[in-house]
Every structure is written in structure tokens, then in C-alpha cells.
Amino acid sequence: MFTGFGDAAVDFYEGLEADNSKAYWQDHRHLYDDHVRAPMQALLLALEPEFGEGRIFRPYRDVRFSKDKVPYKTQCGATAGAHYVQVSADGIMVAAGYYAMVPGQVARYRAAVDDERHGPELERLVAALHDDGFAIGGDRLKTRPRGTDPDHPRLDLLRHRALYAHTAWEPSEELHTPAVAERVAAAWRRMDPLAEWMNAHVGVTLDDAAESSRRRR
């Protein structure tokens, strides 16, 4: 049963930010296991009936092709379908949408944005989320896709190579209570129309999955 994140969750990540080393990790691993990972697993189980099975990301960074060799992530992130939640020294962050897309997905996304029925629908969804205080993120071009009319009515959306909505809450006593589960669920529900639009018009094919796997190698 989810009862909230542990009292040491924020302190653990503040310490990891200050000393991102194997020695710190080994000395404080019990805090991660008991105050971060176990509560995150309980949170996902509590949300599973409505949002589907969740998965917690590994705490170790993949530094093989990165100039930044810091070994550990300074947040615990998890997904349930197109939904995301993380806990860190900054508190809780939740999101929904597509954080990264391979070329085939980008092509389908832009075709849907260009469509005179589906594109305006997305435009309305994004505007409504923004009005409700959600931030809109996603990697995007600085200019415009090749061949795109500079006066396209949805040029800003066409620049995106990924698209998601997100919001966050600073650490508070609520972080350590069961109320976190309903707050996360309420945010995910509000972002669901965006996730559903992306699933319907972009989705993930077998080729997309294979390309994504190649990129992670």
C-alpha cells in the first residue's frame, strides 16, 4: 500500500547531487531502496488499475557515449504507458506524451499536425493544458521542417520532434503521505487527452521500437 515517499527521499537526492560517487551510493543505498524505490513501486501499483503496469527506470546512467561520466541519476523516474512520474530533491514531477521520437514517429506526428482535422485538435489540447498551468516540452527545431510554409498556422507544433506536457510540485509534507497518489493520478487524467492524441496519430510500430533500441546501444 502506498503511504508516501520516505522521510529521507529528498535528503538522499540532495546528498547524491553533492556527491555523485560510488562511495556515497553504497553508503546510502538503503535509503534509496527503502525511501525511494519501494514507495515508487507501491505508487505504481496503486495507479495500475487505471493507468496500466508501471516500470521504474534504472538508477544508473548510461555513460558509454556521454562526456558526462556522473554514474547515478539524481531522480527516480517511472512510466505507466505514456505517463511519467519522478521524485528528486526538487519534489515530484509528472508528465504525459512522447519524450523522444524516432524519424518514423516524427513523420507521422507532422502529418497529423498538418492535417486540417487532427492538427487543430492538438492545438486546442495544448492550449487548454497551457491555460491550466501545465508546461509544454519536447525537443524542437529552431527553424522549421524542410518544405514547410513559413506561414503555416501550426508552425510552432510542427517544429516539435517530441511533445509532452508536464508539471511539478516542490517538496512538502504531502510528499510523505498517500495524497501523492491522487495528485499524480489527477494530473495524469488531465494530460490524458494529449497522450491519447499522440497514441492515436503517432504510436509505436515494430520498426520504431527497433530504431529506438539501436539508438540506445
Side-chain angles (χ1 to χ4, degrees):
M1 183 172 62
F2 178 69
T3 58
F5 287 94
D7 292 340
V10 172
D11 290 341
F12 168 78
Y13 278 116
E14 287 179 343
L16 186 61
E17 289 180 356
D19 181 13
N20 198 312
S21 67
K22 185 176 181 179
Y24 177 89
W25 180 263
Q26 289 179 333
D27 288 345
H28 298 83
R29 174 64 187 261
H30 63 288
L31 297 179
Y32 169 78
D33 289 338
D34 297 341
H35 293 254
V36 178
R37 182 179 174 82
M40 180 64 83
Q41 187 64 57
L43 175 63
L44 294 176
L45 288 173
L47 299 172
E48 184 174 329
E50 182 174 356
F51 298 99
E53 184 178 2
R55 180 177 70 90
I56 300 175
F57 289 113
R58 298 170 69 251
Y60 314 104
R61 295 184 63 250
D62 185 353
V63 300
R64 290 173 299 172
F65 307 107
S66 174
K67 293 181 180 179
D68 182 0
K69 299 302 181 182
V70 169
Y72 303 103
K73 298 174 183 176
T74 54
Q75 73 284 329
C76 177
T79 57
H83 308 91
Y84 178 80
V85 59
Q86 73 174 35
V87 63
S88 70
D90 295 326
I92 295 283
M93 191 271 274
V94 291
Y98 282 35
Y99 181 77
M101 296 193 291
V102 298
Q105 291 175 302
V106 175
R108 294 194 297 276
Y109 166 78
R110 288 182 175 153
V113 172
D114 189 49
D115 183 89
E116 288 306 319
R117 182 162 62 97
H118 304 312
E121 178 188 5
L122 177 62
E123 192 171 35
R124 289 191 294 271
L125 293 175
V126 167
L129 285 167
H130 183 269
D131 289 346
D132 284 350
F134 290 84
I136 304 300
D139 180 44
R140 44 183 283 165
L141 297 172
K142 292 182 179 179
T143 56
R144 65 179 188 273
R146 184 177 302 174
T148 300
D149 186 339
D151 296 321
H152 195 289
R154 294 177 294 282
L155 181 58
D156 187 62
L157 286 173
L158 285 170
R159 288 192 176 109
H160 279 267
R161 291 181 290 203
L163 183 69
Y164 59 92
H166 60 101
T167 190
W169 313 299
E170 294 181 354
S172 70
E173 287 304 311
E174 183 186 54
L175 181 66
H176 313 299
T177 72
V180 171
E182 180 51 38
R183 195 169 187 185
V184 171
W188 280 358
R189 290 184 199 113
R190 181 62 190 88
M191 293 184 283
D192 260 346
L194 174 61
E196 290 167 1
W197 189 97
M198 296 294 287
N199 286 336
H201 302 293
V202 180
V204 182
T205 68
L206 291 176
D207 287 342
D208 297 333
E211 175 63 20
S212 180
S213 177
R214 283 194 293 270
R215 292 185 172 201
R216 290 195 298 268
R217 290 174 188 168

